[in-house]
Amino acid sequence: MAVPASKGVLSDVVDSIFTPGTNPGLLQAMNASFYALFFTLFVMLFLTSGNLHVWALFGLSLGLFGSIKWFLVQIREVEEERKVEREKKEKEEVMKEKEGKKSQ
């Protein structure tokens, strides 16, 4: 699948509201948001002397980030499989058309 050209992170985030799927700018914004969250929670761990609640929030945010990244990989794999199947089906149709022309 061809990756669309990026017009900028902010523009990509706004465009993703109106178009299905993801784009590179949206993924960059998501990653930056999670990295800022991780940094904030890491600093809070030091400031609160390892408060149990902050550890829990840190663990939950890591789990959420990991599950979102895993889900995006799964979506990409399914899109690739569909693309391969579509190309295979198109090739089969072309072959059938050629065979039909030869038999006439």
Side-chain angles (χ1 to χ4, degrees):
M1 181 170 101
V3 177
S6 179
K7 296 177 245 173
V9 175
L10 185 60
S11 177
D12 283 349
V13 170
V14 172
D15 288 343
S16 72
I17 295 170
F18 303 108
T19 57
T22 60
N23 57 44
L26 180 65
L27 297 177
Q28 287 177 346
M30 182 196 73
N31 288 336
S33 298
F34 270 105
Y35 296 149
L37 175 63
F38 295 148
F39 176 75
T40 303
L41 290 173
F42 189 71
V43 169
M44 286 181 64
L45 281 171
F46 283 108
L47 294 177
T48 62
S49 302
N51 186 319
L52 180 63
H53 294 95
V54 179
W55 276 109
L57 288 173
F58 195 75
L60 287 171
S61 62
L62 282 173
L64 179 62
F65 181 67
S67 64
I68 289 173
K69 293 296 258 185
W70 172 82
F71 185 70
L72 291 173
V73 168
Q74 295 300 313
I75 289 175
R76 190 176 311 123
E77 288 176 0
V78 168
E79 288 175 347
E80 288 296 322
E81 288 175 5
R82 287 184 179 172
K83 180 181 176 185
V84 168
E85 288 176 5
R86 194 174 332 125
E87 289 173 355
K88 184 178 177 182
K89 189 179 276 187
E90 288 174 0
K91 286 180 183 179
E92 289 174 356
E93 289 175 0
V94 169
M95 294 299 287
K96 285 180 182 179
E97 288 178 9
K98 287 182 180 179
E99 289 175 3
K101 289 180 180 178
K102 287 182 182 178
S103 64
Q104 290 179 352

